[in-house]
Amino acid sequence: MNYRFQIATKVVFGKGCITENKEELKKYGKRAVIVTGKTSAKTSGALDDVSAALNESGIEYTIYNEIENNPSLENVKEGGKVAAAFGADFIIGIGGGSPLDASKAVAVLAVNDIDPIDLYKNSFNSKPLPIIAIPTTSGTGSEVTPYSILTRNDMQTKMSFGNEDTFPRLAFMDARYTESMSYDVTVNTAIDALSHAVEGYISKRSTPMSDVFAREAIELFGKRIDNLVSNKIDYETREDLLYMSMLGGMVIAHTGTTIVHGLGYSLTYFKDIPHGRANGLLMKEYFNFNYEAAKEKIDKILKLLNMKDIEEFGALMDKLLGKAEKVNDEELYKFASLAMKQRSTSFNIRSVSEDDMIYILKKSLNHQ
Ligand code: NAP
Ligand code: FE
């Protein structure tokens, strides 16, 4: 055995966790910038709880609520300016993966006068501001990963940066904040969490420790399949999904992702397919492609999901996601070529060629 395991985030999980632990906030300073999207912080109820806790703790704050879905370098640049001008001591990210990832970039840019493209150097003169993450979706696990996945319009793709200092210091995880998610966002984000656990489990970089978290996450998804299919998503289900997504984050914090994510980025960038949905469309063919190379682990995944074979898994994805989007030849070639450039592609258990990528895409989407 030869591995490292480190999660730099203190996790405080449970109903009412912000209100009950507001003294935690004072540790990070006197001025905070809340980084969030247009609506999620408010509709989830998280913003009200955070505002009350900040007010009661005498912490001044401002809100930057311009984070787009799949935030771009241009988008986080603005957030960095706001945080620098406010003289923030720390950053609070509230939302799905988009605002949480953006908050990591804002934490760097607030104290480093650099072009956002230089975020990818992953080395900064000044340490990023401390980040507190409050998820309102249950998918990305961004609250416990160092990754900030940003849209690079210059390269027509999404790319991740992050180092030990961009792990959130603290995550407040209250499943009530996920109750306002639509059914589609709930399903898509749950599938994203599953793909983190699965890709990490089968990855060349998997470790005995990350596998423990991966198996637990996969089993939790299995336990909640009926709730997802029937749209009977009660509070206990929400808690399991949020817990599962955090476990998935702890997995990829060590393993990274592989070709599902690498291919999925193009589906999001060019076809506006939500991140988790993109992963879900690709996962059946990902299993088929890797089956011989990772038979034991894929059989274990199917067992944890209570499924007899990969076909049954594919049928579940069809049920949850509906018909796949159309894709033409030109798109296939472009997406495959871009995915080959993602570093995560090299972590796939079976080595993969551009033709393999084209094949997986063709089988996964509605090829015209
Ligand atoms: P998202 O892009 O953050 O949010 C999707 C939509 O759901 C947005 O319109 C958002 O509203 C809304 N929403 C969020 N929470 C809600 C709530 N509680 N109630 C109602 N609406 C809510 O979705 P996501 O799937 O969580 O994040 C995807 C992003 O995370 C992608 O950029 C992906 O690449 C990244 N990601 C990061 C990691 C990582 O390790 N860091 C891992 C996987 C994926 P608003 O517009 O108001 O925000
Ligand atoms: Fe993901």
Side-chain angles (χ1 to χ4, degrees):
M1 273 193 208
N2 187 357
Y3 67 88
R4 290 177 190 203
F5 189 85
Q6 182 194 7
I7 294 291
T9 310
K10 176 175 188 173
V11 174
V12 182
F13 193 108
K15 203 184 264 185
C17 62
I18 294 182
T19 313
E20 282 168 23
N21 297 279
K22 54 178 176 291
E23 73 287 349
E24 290 279 346
L25 295 166
K26 284 190 186 158
K27 296 179 188 168
Y28 299 98
K30 292 190 158 37
R31 295 174 75 77
V33 173
I34 296 175
V35 174
T36 188
K38 283 269 180 298
T39 57
S40 54
K42 194 87 199 121
T43 49
S44 65
L47 184 60
D48 287 346
D49 287 352
V50 170
S51 304
L54 291 170
N55 288 332
E56 284 166 36
S57 308
I59 297 169
E60 288 191 44
Y61 66 93
T62 187
I63 302 174
Y64 181 70
N65 67 351
E66 302 285 331
I67 301 302
E68 305 149 356
N69 291 355
N70 308 296
S72 62
L73 292 176
E74 296 77 16
N75 195 202
V76 296
K77 184 175 181 178
E78 278 310 305
K81 279 190 198 158
V82 169
F86 187 68
D89 297 320
F90 64 107
I91 305 293
I92 304 176
I94 306 179
S98 297
L100 297 191
D101 284 7
S103 70
K104 297 171 188 174
V106 170
V108 176
L109 296 172
V111 287
N112 290 280
D113 188 14
I114 56 171
D115 194 292
I117 202 91
D118 291 332
L119 288 168
Y120 293 103
K121 289 184 179 161
N122 268 331
S123 166
F124 314 113
N125 286 336
S126 304
K127 269 196 186 244
L129 295 177
I131 301 151
I132 298 177
I134 304 169
T136 65
T137 63
S138 40
T140 70
S142 180
E143 66 278 5
V144 292
T145 75
Y147 309 127
S148 171
I149 299 162
L150 303 172
T151 297
R152 280 191 71 157
N153 288 313
D154 60 326
M155 288 177 71
Q156 296 192 307
T157 190
K158 299 179 69 174
M159 202 183 269
S160 150
F161 87 92
N163 64 23
E164 275 190 15
D165 297 324
T166 55
F167 268 105
R169 296 268 197 94
L170 174 66
F172 281 125
M173 306 192 61
D174 187 331
R176 287 179 313 166
Y177 303 147
T178 65
E179 285 180 319
S180 51
M181 278 191 289
S182 66
Y183 178 67
D184 283 353
V185 174
T186 303
V187 165
N188 292 339
T189 54
I191 292 174
D192 185 28
L194 176 68
S195 73
H196 298 155
V198 159
E199 286 179 81
Y201 190 52
I202 307 177
S203 168
K204 274 186 192 163
R205 298 174 82 200
S206 80
T207 73
M209 286 281 298
S210 64
D211 284 357
V212 173
F213 291 85
R215 285 192 299 266
E216 183 70 14
I218 295 163
E219 191 168 19
L220 277 167
F221 186 93
K223 179 178 155 198
R224 294 305 181 181
I225 288 173
D226 289 348
N227 299 86
L228 288 169
V229 169
S230 61
N231 195 4
K232 289 206 177 79
I233 305 173
D234 55 11
Y235 183 74
E236 285 66 36
T237 307
R238 294 270 178 216
E239 272 204 329
D240 275 353
L241 294 177
L242 187 62
Y243 179 50
M244 172 188 76
S245 80
M246 181 205 72
L247 293 171
M250 290 182 174
V251 173
I252 57 168
H254 295 87
T255 63
T257 53
T258 61
I259 55 173
V260 172
H261 273 68
L263 286 167
Y265 291 151
S266 284
L267 301 184
T268 300
Y269 187 87
F270 292 101
K271 302 189 79 72
D272 215 16
I273 299 178
H275 175 65
R277 176 179 171 82
N279 294 348
L281 294 171
L282 295 158
M283 233 187 298
K284 175 185 157 192
E285 289 311 320
Y286 162 79
F287 283 139
N288 279 329
F289 178 75
N290 285 305
Y291 190 66
E292 283 311 316
K295 190 170 178 322
E296 218 173 285
K297 280 194 159 176
I298 293 178
D299 284 342
K300 179 71 182 173
I301 291 168
L302 293 169
K303 196 163 170 229
L304 289 168
L305 295 173
N306 295 313
M307 291 185 168
K308 61 178 187 310
D309 54 24
I310 297 174
E311 281 307 308
E312 190 180 348
F313 179 83
L316 172 68
M317 289 298 116
D318 290 348
K319 215 184 275 175
L320 289 173
L321 299 173
K323 213 169 166 4
E325 281 77 357
K326 289 181 188 160
V327 69
N328 61 34
D329 279 338
E330 192 192 324
E331 288 170 323
L332 286 181
Y333 299 135
K334 182 161 66 180
F335 300 172
S337 151
L338 284 165
M340 288 304 287
K341 294 190 190 123
Q342 290 281 345
R343 198 169 83 94
S344 57
T345 293
S346 65
F347 305 149
N348 196 64
I349 193 78
R350 177 177 164 194
S351 59
V352 43
S353 68
E354 199 159 320
D355 283 346
D356 296 329
M357 293 287 207
I358 292 170
Y359 179 80
I360 292 169
L361 283 167
K362 204 185 248 181
K363 294 273 282 182
S364 302
L365 295 158
N366 181 5
H367 179 235
Q368 308 263 307

